[in-house]
Amino acid sequence: MAGESVTLIGFWGSPFVLRVKWALELKGIQYQYVEEDLSNKSAMLLQYNPVYKKVPVLVHEGKPLAESLVILEYIDETWKQNPLLPQDPYEKAKARFWSGFVDEKNTCYRVLFVPLVTHSTFLILRVMATFSKGGEEQQKAAQEARENLKTLEGGIEGKRYFGGEKIGFADIAIGWLGYWVQIVEEIVGINLIDKELMAKLDAWFNDFLEHPVIRESMPPRDKLLNHNTAFHKVLTSSST
Amino acid sequence: MAKNDLKLLGGWFSPFALRVQVALNLKGLDYEVVEQTLSPKSELLLKSNPVHKKIPVLLHADHKPICESLIIVEYIDEVWTNAPSILPQKPYDRANARFWLSYIDDKLLTSTKSILMAEDDEAKKPHLEQIEEVLEKMEEVFNKYSEGKAFFGGDTIGLIDIGFGSFMSWIRVTEDIIGIKVLDEARNPSLAQWAQSFAAHPSVKGLLPETPKLTEFAKLLILQWTASAR
């Protein structure tokens, strides 16, 4: 579809932006990338995502889209080459389920009936809790995060990727976590991905992160480590 | 098992389960509801949704269980392609529908729970503002998408109607408990009208829990929340 204008507004350190980048790259879609300074948000960002004022935002022929998983579905429906989601409705549901398991927005689907948000069964919240808390709370959060990672491993079902032989929707939605968890582990000094007990998960993360398209877009490790170390200081100093 | 063998693990109190029921009704499907309790959780529920242990869960013929209300609704729309469609046809419209549902689940649900747990007016204030902001936004969205018709989906109910509309009873209950009206004809005329249309829709009629019953249920739930929040 030559001549179509596709712009991705992003931030180098955001895994949610990375999801969208990977989808565009895997489908060979030409796009313009605009780096956003999150401490000084542009008028363009505020205009295109007035509800959340966050990245990623995809602009396709002047029409803006926000929320990374919503954007992924749009990309898959608009550009049919190299499909990300499977055709079968049940397999689709499964891919969406695992993607949701690792998505922050899912915190609230269950807020009504879950006593405490930190008891959420969603993986990303438990990793965040490990990252932002201290002492006993942190140990507990780490244990729960490990349980969730083990659960996530079950979703791979012995295949090479969540998507089967090729990288698919769920791989893109989840894969960034392998890289980020390593960084969290280094900053807080707690092991989350147990290479023995979660051998399959570890193998999948490594395989995914080694894929040329994936690897090419990854932010440099040192840069990400420094960025998140600073973030960690902010989080832990602000919690009384 | 017959191709259309359908069981829904649901609960009369659950807006999430309601979403699925409305979708199934809209498609004219026969199904059985297996009513669940919050506690204790049945063996069937724990087996069907081991990851989250929550309703709704859809059991369809020989397939493994499908979980998460919006995932189930999209699944229903994809398997039973007979009219009406639940999601819009065009990718951009579909993206918008999904976006607004994500927004509702993110902003409205948290602030509703928070306001129900708030101890005094001061504590309620920020959550009240959030709820009012969401409703004001959805009033705008409705006016834009409905194009003068009865629903977000136009002539028929669509994804936003189902996702947002299923939450109406809980909004009424919240109003009762906090003693403040948030969705009223003065501030959100379109939404107030739409809420009535939604409740009267053949796929929804009779399924919305009655406010007094749900209020009693909510009060018990709030006690549980407060207890576990230490």
Side-chain angles (χ1 to χ4, degrees):
Chain A
M1 290 187 181
E4 277 190 19
S5 134
V6 181
T7 304
L8 172 61
I9 307 172
F11 171 66
W12 69 269
S14 163
F16 307 110
V17 171
L18 214 44
R19 284 169 164 172
V20 178
K21 251 196 201 167
W22 286 334
L24 293 168
E25 298 282 343
L26 284 166
K27 286 188 181 264
I29 299 164
Q30 301 282 18
Y31 67 100
Q32 189 199 9
Y33 177 76
V34 177
E35 180 73 16
E36 186 69 30
D37 175 3
L38 295 181
S39 62
N40 183 20
K41 292 180 179 178
S42 69
M44 178 174 64
L45 178 63
L46 300 179
Q47 181 203 342
Y48 282 143
N49 190 1
V51 173
Y52 291 112
K53 307 176 176 58
K54 284 184 178 174
V55 293
V57 169
L58 189 77
V59 189
H60 182 210
E61 296 196 317
K63 292 188 284 194
L65 295 122
E67 293 302 290
S68 61
L69 293 184
V70 171
I71 297 172
L72 287 190
E73 297 251 12
Y74 176 82
I75 289 173
D76 209 33
E77 286 169 6
T78 305
W79 290 276
K80 305 284 191 190
Q81 70 274 24
N82 202 5
L84 301 174
L85 276 171
Q87 284 291 68
D88 176 63
Y90 176 69
E91 293 298 320
K92 246 190 218 176
K94 248 199 319 193
R96 286 171 175 151
F97 176 83
W98 289 114
S99 303
F101 184 62
V102 185
D103 196 64
E104 60 174 5
K105 281 287 178 282
N106 262 299
T107 63
C108 305
Y109 282 7
R110 292 297 174 255
V111 160
L112 258 189
F113 301 121
V114 174
L116 260 182
V117 173
T118 49
H119 288 174
S120 165
T121 40
F122 291 97
L123 173 51
I124 198 171
L125 290 183
R126 290 177 165 185
V127 172
M128 271 310 290
T130 311
F131 189 61
S132 60
K133 295 185 189 300
E136 214 181 282
E137 263 192 290
Q138 183 180 49
Q139 292 300 330
K140 184 158 183 262
Q143 180 52 32
E144 289 175 341
R146 278 191 288 269
E147 281 166 18
N148 271 29
L149 287 164
K150 189 67 192 162
T151 301
L152 183 63
E153 187 181 69
I156 304 171
E157 294 171 345
K159 307 188 299 281
R160 186 177 179 193
Y161 300 112
F162 277 86
E165 279 310 296
K166 283 169 67 181
I167 286 180
F169 191 94
D171 300 284
I172 294 175
I174 302 167
W176 61 274
L177 198 62
Y179 200 67
W180 259 256
V181 164
Q182 281 174 32
I183 293 197
V184 166
E185 284 175 336
E186 191 170 323
I187 294 173
V188 303
I190 297 177
N191 174 249
L192 291 175
I193 298 177
D194 187 318
K195 292 189 195 296
E196 274 177 32
L197 294 175
M198 303 172 199
K200 287 199 175 66
L201 185 70
D202 192 45
W204 167 71
F205 272 137
N206 290 329
D207 204 358
F208 176 79
L209 295 171
E210 280 301 300
H211 188 288
V213 169
I214 304 302
R215 197 179 46 200
E216 212 178 288
S217 309
M218 276 302 201
R221 199 173 181 282
D222 286 343
K223 194 176 178 192
L224 199 61
L225 182 62
N226 289 339
H227 174 73
N228 279 294
T229 303
F231 184 38
H232 182 245
K233 281 203 176 73
V234 169
L235 279 179
T236 46
S237 64
S238 60
S239 53
T240 21
Chain B
M1 272 200 204
K3 182 207 162 200
N4 279 4
D5 203 327
L6 286 164
K7 268 197 184 75
L8 168 64
L9 305 187
W12 65 271
F13 49 84
S14 166
F16 307 107
L18 183 56
R19 288 169 169 178
V20 177
Q21 267 200 276
V22 173
L24 291 167
N25 289 346
L26 202 59
K27 295 287 187 179
L29 296 165
D30 283 325
Y31 59 93
E32 184 196 334
V33 178
V34 185
E35 193 69 22
Q36 302 294 305
T37 50
L38 275 185
S39 114
K41 294 179 199 252
S42 70
E43 276 307 308
L44 180 58
L45 176 61
L46 295 176
K47 198 182 78 170
S48 306
N49 189 359
V51 174
H52 298 303
K53 306 176 177 57
K54 303 283 192 298
I55 57 172
V57 179
L58 187 72
L59 305 175
H60 175 211
D62 292 327
H63 292 295
K64 293 217 189 114
I66 300 150
C67 310
E68 297 298 286
S69 64
L70 296 178
I71 292 178
I72 299 171
V73 170
E74 293 224 26
Y75 174 82
I76 291 168
D77 204 33
E78 284 156 13
V79 173
W80 290 277
T81 52
N82 54 303
S85 282
I86 296 174
L87 272 92
Q89 294 308 310
K90 295 192 201 142
Y92 191 67
D93 298 332
R94 293 161 74 87
N96 279 330
R98 288 174 179 137
F99 174 85
W100 289 114
L101 272 175
S102 172
Y103 171 73
I104 287 162
D105 279 4
D106 181 27
K107 302 282 184 197
L108 189 59
L109 270 63
T110 18
S111 43
T112 302
K113 182 180 177 182
S114 300
I115 206 172
L116 286 171
M117 286 180 69
E119 286 177 357
D120 53 44
D121 286 347
E122 256 323 289
K124 284 184 186 141
K125 217 159 151 246
H127 309 301
L128 185 61
E129 278 168 16
Q130 175 80 279
I131 293 172
E132 287 173 346
E133 190 185 297
V134 171
L135 293 175
E136 197 183 305
K137 193 80 216 166
M138 294 314 292
E139 174 88 6
E140 257 180 62
V141 173
F142 180 83
N143 289 334
K144 191 171 165 198
Y145 289 11
S146 61
E147 293 180 337
K149 299 192 182 136
F151 303 107
F152 285 88
D155 284 318
T156 64
I157 59 175
L159 190 68
I160 303 179
D161 298 285
I162 294 174
F164 186 27
S166 298
F167 203 58
M168 284 301 120
S169 297
W170 274 91
I171 290 184
R172 293 292 170 230
V173 163
T174 304
E175 288 175 333
D176 272 2
I177 292 177
I178 65 175
I180 305 168
K181 209 122 175 38
V182 294
L183 177 57
D184 66 26
E185 299 75 20
R187 256 176 317 189
N188 328 97
S190 301
L191 283 188
Q193 175 68 39
W194 161 78
Q196 281 181 35
S197 306
F198 181 76
H201 190 282
S203 297
V204 179
K205 215 158 171 194
L207 289 179
L208 287 171
E210 277 155 31
T211 308
K213 190 182 175 194
L214 191 60
T215 303
E216 284 317 301
F217 177 87
K219 285 180 179 164
L220 287 174
L221 195 58
I222 294 166
L223 284 174
Q224 272 182 47
W225 289 337
T226 318
S228 39
R230 281 169 255 120

